[in-house]
Amino acid sequence: MKIILVNERGGTRSFRFGRLSKALLGLCLIGMPVGAFLVGVNLPVADSDVFDSRTAKAWGKALRKQQVEIEEADQQAREQLTALTVKLAEMQARLTRLDALGERLVTVAKLDENEFQFGTAPALGGPEEPGEGSSADFPYQQPDFMGAFENLSEQIEDRQLQLSTIESVLANQQLQDEQFLAGRPISRGWMSSRYGYRTDPFSGRRSWHKGVDFAGKNGSDVVAVAAGVVTWAEDRYGYGNLVEINHGNGYKTRYGHNSEIKVELGEVVKKGQVIAQMGSSGRSTGPHVHFEVYKNDRPVDPASYIRRNGR
């Protein structure tokens, strides 16, 4: 191998290499780029590189902000979980009170205990609608406390429905009790004439008496034997000052010969309410109340209703 070198003056010089010289020259030529690469790896990053000190600071600031947000979210989650736990306890306490109240009402109202069961969960069910998919299609399971809330909500709704039914039953019973004709139409006095045929006190002839008379002190209280609506509250021939009350279900009662009327036409009265003062108005021989009972517009013997015990 022969190498010719030319200097700046145009002179030349030649070199001749043997096999060993050629090998050494090849190693030098190969080693130069390798060394340059190794040196380049260890060079510092230039100031113009994207990962400079300002970028590192910005990333650090963002990370610290995210850490604060994570801590705040964790605190809020803990507070919400505490609030849900308290709410769950309140709902359980409410359900317990509803159960106790329901059981008490069932006992007081003398209802069938098997019809209103406050100690068991409400029965649920129903066919699966087409297209809804099975539980396997929705593998996500909600947290246990959410299931507990739903369960308690269903139980509370069931208890409220049962209590509403019991309330309706009790209201109906109370209404029936109020409308139940029973007792005497006076607070003080005695029965002076019975229902049926008797000797008329004015003509002396045998006549039909379609009510019963209760004598007493003038001005004594006259009371309604059942709840109802006042359909007459003024003077009426033969009765004097008359009060008539419609009790529903075909029943009505009349209270005659009063000295004073205490109710008005159309007024709703309660059982035992004072409706008049005993007197001797109309066709009467002395202070008393003439009491009649009508069923489907026909007079009936008041005695059976007078002897009744109130519900």
Side-chain angles (χ1 to χ4, degrees):
M1 178 179 179
K2 184 179 180 180
I3 298 176
I4 300 173
L5 299 177
V6 181
N7 59 22
E8 55 185 6
R9 296 178 180 179
T12 63
R13 190 175 180 180
S14 62
F15 298 91
R16 190 177 294 276
F17 295 93
R19 291 182 178 177
L20 180 60
S21 299
K22 288 189 287 185
L24 291 174
L25 181 61
L27 289 173
C28 290
L29 293 174
I30 295 172
M32 288 175 65
V34 174
F37 173 77
L38 294 175
V39 172
V41 170
N42 294 318
L43 290 175
V45 178
D47 292 341
S48 61
D49 197 282
V50 68
F51 297 105
D52 57 8
S53 59
R54 288 178 297 176
T55 304
K57 288 181 180 179
W59 280 25
K61 184 178 180 181
L63 288 174
R64 287 191 296 273
K65 182 180 179 181
Q66 290 178 358
Q67 182 65 30
V68 172
E69 292 176 351
I70 291 173
E71 291 176 356
E72 291 178 352
D74 180 68
Q75 181 64 25
Q76 290 179 359
R78 291 177 182 274
E79 291 176 356
Q80 290 177 357
L81 182 60
T82 301
L84 287 173
T85 303
V86 173
K87 186 64 176 178
L88 183 62
E90 291 177 353
M91 292 178 70
Q92 289 175 333
R94 181 184 175 190
L95 180 61
T96 301
R97 290 195 296 270
L98 286 175
D99 286 346
L101 176 61
E103 292 174 357
R104 175 62 179 164
L105 288 176
V106 168
T107 302
V108 171
K110 298 180 181 179
L111 301 176
D112 185 2
E113 295 181 359
N114 295 322
E115 184 176 358
F116 299 95
Q117 298 179 353
F118 285 89
T120 59
L124 304 172
E128 184 178 17
E129 293 295 330
E132 288 188 352
S134 63
S135 58
D137 298 328
F138 305 96
Y140 170 75
Q141 297 294 327
Q142 61 182 348
D144 289 340
F145 70 86
M146 290 300 296
F149 269 115
E150 289 186 3
N151 185 36
L152 278 174
S153 265
E154 290 173 356
Q155 292 188 46
I156 288 174
E157 287 179 6
D158 174 73
R159 300 307 191 263
Q160 289 177 335
L161 179 60
Q162 293 192 61
L163 287 174
S164 177
T165 303
I166 291 176
E167 182 182 9
S168 299
V169 172
L170 289 176
N172 187 47
Q173 285 185 353
Q174 184 177 7
L175 179 61
Q176 290 179 352
D177 291 345
E178 285 286 319
Q179 292 179 319
F180 185 74
L181 274 67
R184 304 195 310 170
I186 57 172
S187 56
R188 295 180 181 178
W190 65 95
M191 184 181 293
S192 56
S193 180
R194 297 183 179 276
Y195 174 86
Y197 283 103
R198 71 171 184 177
T199 300
D200 186 275
F202 290 95
S203 65
R205 290 182 250 179
R206 190 169 181 261
S207 62
W208 178 257
H209 187 228
K210 57 182 180 180
V212 295
D213 294 337
F214 286 92
K217 184 178 179 182
N218 189 54
S220 298
D221 290 338
V222 177
V223 299
V225 296
V229 180
V230 177
T231 52
W232 190 283
E234 59 181 329
D235 182 75
R236 188 164 182 171
Y237 178 76
Y239 290 94
N241 292 323
L242 173 70
V243 175
E244 182 182 84
I245 301 175
N246 189 323
H247 306 284
N249 298 320
Y251 286 97
K252 65 181 179 181
T253 53
R254 289 178 179 176
Y255 312 77
H257 307 303
N258 303 294
S259 62
E260 183 181 357
I261 295 176
K262 296 290 187 178
V263 293
E264 297 179 355
L265 182 66
E267 183 177 342
V268 177
V269 297
K270 298 179 180 179
K271 187 173 186 175
Q273 179 178 335
V274 176
I275 57 174
Q277 302 295 324
M278 185 182 294
S280 186
S281 60
R283 193 169 183 268
S284 170
T285 60
H288 75 285
V289 56
H290 174 74
F291 178 58
E292 296 179 356
V293 176
Y294 283 78
K295 182 177 181 181
N296 297 325
D297 293 327
R298 297 182 63 182
V300 295
D301 188 354
S304 58
Y305 300 97
I306 294 170
R307 290 193 295 266
R308 274 181 174 180
N309 292 322
R311 286 184 178 178

